[in-house]
């Protein structure tokens, strides 16, 4: 019985694998296509006695694996985009004018915390409000006051350099 099972699996592999891998190759790169086709056969083998239609099982499994691969790629691309965007923004902000960072650090805590959370951590005002335990109107007022202080300090420092 085991011998006939192995023979049937070998025959199915020889008959279906090239076409399945080729189908996968149209959807993903060559190496990934072979990995997906092989994984589909591995999963079929684990359920060999319970699967009524092996070819259908293989293609459905391969399609699911391709979809999972695409999702993983999209998550990775999103992570790379976020990291790249953060790297592009942060160094320019800090390197372009370190005095702005020093000015923000010199603000009183009640003004500094909302500035850091809203502008540097990119949090919406509602979230800053929840984190600090202050009303949204107060946060908006503090952000306005802090911006005005920073603007005045920067004007004075620019006037001194001219």
């Amino acid at each position: 019985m085991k011998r006939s099972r192995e023979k049937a699996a070998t025959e199915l592999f020889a008959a279906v694998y090239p076409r399945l891998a080729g189908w996968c190759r149209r959807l993903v790169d060559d190496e990934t296509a072979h990995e997906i086709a092989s994984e589909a056969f591995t999963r079929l083998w684990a359920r060999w006695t319970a699967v009524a239609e092996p070819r259908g099982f293989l293609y459905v499994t391969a399609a699911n694996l391709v979809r999972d691969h695409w999702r993983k790629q999209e998550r990775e691309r999103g992570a790379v985009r976020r990291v790249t965007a953060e790297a592009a923004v942060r160094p320019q902000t800090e390197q372009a004018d370190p005095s702005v960072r020093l000015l923000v650090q010199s603000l009183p805590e009640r003004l500094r915390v909302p500035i850091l959370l809203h502008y540097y951590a990119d949090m919406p005002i509602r979230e800053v409000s929840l984190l600090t335990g202050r009303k949204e109107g107060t946060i908006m007022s503090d952000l306005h006051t802090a911006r005005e202080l920073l603007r005045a300090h920067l004007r004075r420092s620019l006037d001194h350099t001219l």
Side-chain angles (χ1 to χ4, degrees):
M1 183 79 168
K2 185 176 179 177
R3 198 73 167 134
S4 65
R5 178 181 157 197
E6 287 178 10
K7 184 178 180 200
T10 302
E11 288 172 359
L12 181 68
F13 184 84
V16 177
Y17 182 85
R19 187 169 269 163
L20 180 65
W23 178 77
C24 292
R25 200 175 300 118
R26 288 188 219 129
L27 304 170
V28 295
D29 64 86
D30 191 49
E31 183 180 336
T32 304
H34 285 285
E35 289 174 10
I36 287 173
S38 297
E39 178 64 21
F41 270 95
T42 301
R43 292 181 183 193
L44 172 64
W45 182 251
R47 295 165 187 79
W48 184 258
T49 57
V51 175
E53 179 51 52
R55 286 176 196 246
F57 179 89
L58 288 168
Y59 276 90
V60 168
T61 301
N64 289 337
L65 292 169
V66 166
R67 186 192 64 232
D68 292 346
H69 175 74
W70 288 344
R71 285 179 179 163
K72 180 181 175 194
Q73 278 187 319
E74 188 53 39
R75 283 191 307 272
E76 289 171 354
R77 279 193 290 265
V80 168
R81 279 193 300 268
R82 282 190 302 278
V83 168
T84 303
E86 288 172 10
V89 171
R90 280 193 186 130
Q92 290 174 353
T93 304
E94 291 177 7
Q95 291 172 3
D97 194 357
S99 62
V100 172
R101 184 177 39 130
L102 295 173
L103 286 173
V104 169
Q105 289 174 347
S106 71
L107 289 170
E109 184 177 350
R110 114 184 137 75
L111 300 176
R112 182 178 62 245
V113 170
I115 287 283
L116 292 173
L117 293 175
H118 185 66
Y119 291 108
Y120 286 84
D122 220 14
M123 290 184 184
I125 290 173
R126 172 176 276 146
E127 197 170 336
V128 174
S129 170
L130 290 171
L131 286 172
T132 60
R134 294 189 279 179
K135 294 180 180 178
E136 288 182 38
T138 304
I139 297 299
M140 289 189 290
S141 174
D142 288 346
L143 288 171
H144 175 76
T145 302
R147 285 190 308 267
E148 290 301 315
L149 282 172
L150 292 171
R151 190 175 291 122
H153 284 294
L154 288 171
R155 274 196 197 116
R156 280 196 299 271
S157 65
L158 284 173
D159 289 343
H160 291 295
T161 58
L162 296 176

